[in-house]
């Protein structure tokens, strides 16, 4: 057996191998948190550090908030929630204008600048702070 065949066969035995039975693939499953931060996919570590600081700045705890990726799976999870959530969307791909509170898929959302934009252009942090305070008022 060559290296790759051995490697693949050992990987397939691993309990950490991502298989449908190993992942929570039921997007209709409700989660109990009513506060959601919808963020871009593939963010660097400093973006998550900044996100944690934002959560604390609006007087919440990290464990109070559900963080979902904006990919298809994250949006599908939100679509299938039976309870209304308060969502802040980081990015331009959502309805409404920046800082405006709108209803979307049965949830109340506030849209703000993407985390990648905030890392690249720190001048937008001041405007994002206004959006975060508006989000906090929804709670």
């Amino acid at each position: 057996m060559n290296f790759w065949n051995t490697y693949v066969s050992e990987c397939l035995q691993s309990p950490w191998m991502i298989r449908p039975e190993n992942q929570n693939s039921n997007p209709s499953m409700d989660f109990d948190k009513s506060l959601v931060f919808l963020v871009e996919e593939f963010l660097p570590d400093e973006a998550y550090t900044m996100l944690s600081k934002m959560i604390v700045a609006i007087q919440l705890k990290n464990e109070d908030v559900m963080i979902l990726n904006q990919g298809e799976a994250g949006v599908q999870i939100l679509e299938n929630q039976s309870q209304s959530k308060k969502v802040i969307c980081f990015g331009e791909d959502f309805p409404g204008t920046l800082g405006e509170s709108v209803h979307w898929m049965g949830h109340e959302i506030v849209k703000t600048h993407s985390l990648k934009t905030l890392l690249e252009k720190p001048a937008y942090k001041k405007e994002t702070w206004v959006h975060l305070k508006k989000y906090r008022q929804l709670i």
Side-chain angles (χ1 to χ4, degrees):
M1 199 179 241
N2 70 22
F3 171 78
W4 288 111
N5 288 341
T6 304
Y7 176 76
V8 169
S9 67
E10 288 176 2
C11 286
L12 291 174
Q13 301 299 320
S14 170
W16 298 284
M17 177 72 179
I18 298 175
R19 298 184 188 94
E21 65 268 15
N22 289 350
Q23 60 184 346
N24 182 2
S25 59
N26 183 2
S28 65
M29 189 168 90
D30 281 339
F31 52 86
D32 60 350
K33 297 179 183 176
S34 64
L35 308 176
V36 178
F37 278 50
L38 197 57
V39 301
E40 310 97 299
E41 294 182 291
F42 312 114
L43 290 169
D45 290 341
E46 57 265 17
Y48 287 105
T49 302
M50 183 172 55
L51 188 62
S52 289
K53 289 178 182 178
M54 289 178 184
I55 292 168
V56 171
I58 59 172
Q59 300 174 343
L60 297 173
K61 296 177 185 170
N62 286 329
E63 57 269 10
D64 296 336
V65 176
M66 174 65 103
I67 298 174
L68 292 175
N69 286 327
Q70 293 175 359
E72 188 176 311
V75 172
Q76 188 177 11
I77 288 171
L78 272 179
E79 284 177 354
N80 294 319
Q81 293 298 301
S82 62
Q83 295 177 328
S84 178
K85 309 291 182 191
K86 308 295 186 204
V87 182
I88 186 160
C89 301
F90 290 87
E92 305 293 326
D93 299 334
F94 295 94
T97 58
L98 291 174
E100 178 184 315
S101 175
V102 297
H103 289 279
W104 176 64
M105 296 188 315
H107 308 294
E108 194 164 1
I109 69 164
V110 173
K111 181 169 87 170
T112 191
H113 298 286
S114 74
L115 293 172
K116 288 179 184 176
T117 300
L118 294 175
L119 289 173
E120 294 167 3
K121 301 175 184 173
Y124 288 123
K125 288 181 180 179
K126 186 175 183 179
E127 188 177 0
T128 299
W129 174 240
V130 173
H131 302 161
L132 284 166
K133 291 190 291 186
K134 180 152 190 159
Y135 175 74
R136 180 66 171 126
Q137 290 174 350
L138 296 177
I139 302 169

